[in-house]
Amino acid sequence: MPALFTAAQRHRLLANGRRTAAVEDIDPRPVVKLFLLGGRATWLLTELDPGELTRAFGLCDLGLGAPELGYVDLNELARLRGCQRLPVERDRHFVAGQPLSAYASAARAAGRITA
């Protein structure tokens, strides 16, 4: 699987996943923003499932006007291709300025992720 995030991001995603697994009520800032080159799909991920490391949680927007919170399989993301067969890529300049719930609220209002 291609690297969709850095080692430091993976560490933060796992830490958030462990907190969720421990039944903590958390609303973390997104750790990584992924997008489909040549497409409108975007993912703001906050955590990795510590029991299933290819499963991530976050705000998912397939570009259909209905962004939602949920889980995504990282292997599926790695296989996706957009226009001209371009892969999913990490936004190297993304820094979350607010918790996931704020991004989700704004995305629902706009019909897409606006970060």
Side-chain angles (χ1 to χ4, degrees), residues 4-82:
L4 295 173
F5 34 82
T6 67
Q9 289 168 329
R10 182 180 189 279
H11 179 76
R12 288 177 45 213
L13 289 163
L14 267 172
N16 288 339
R18 288 186 188 107
R19 291 178 65 198
T20 295
V23 195
E24 285 187 46
D25 185 19
I26 65 171
D27 185 14
R29 291 180 182 205
V31 174
V32 65
K33 176 182 179 182
L34 303 174
F35 60 96
L36 187 59
L37 287 166
R40 297 188 326 179
T42 305
W43 298 266
L44 296 180
L45 303 180
T46 58
E47 60 192 77
L48 281 177
D49 182 335
E52 192 175 333
L53 297 177
T54 60
R55 191 169 95 135
F57 179 83
L59 181 60
C60 306
D61 180 1
L62 299 180
L64 304 173
E68 61 184 36
L69 294 171
Y71 288 91
V72 63
D73 184 287
L74 297 175
N75 290 321
E76 288 182 20
L77 285 186
R79 288 191 297 267
L80 281 178
R81 294 293 180 266

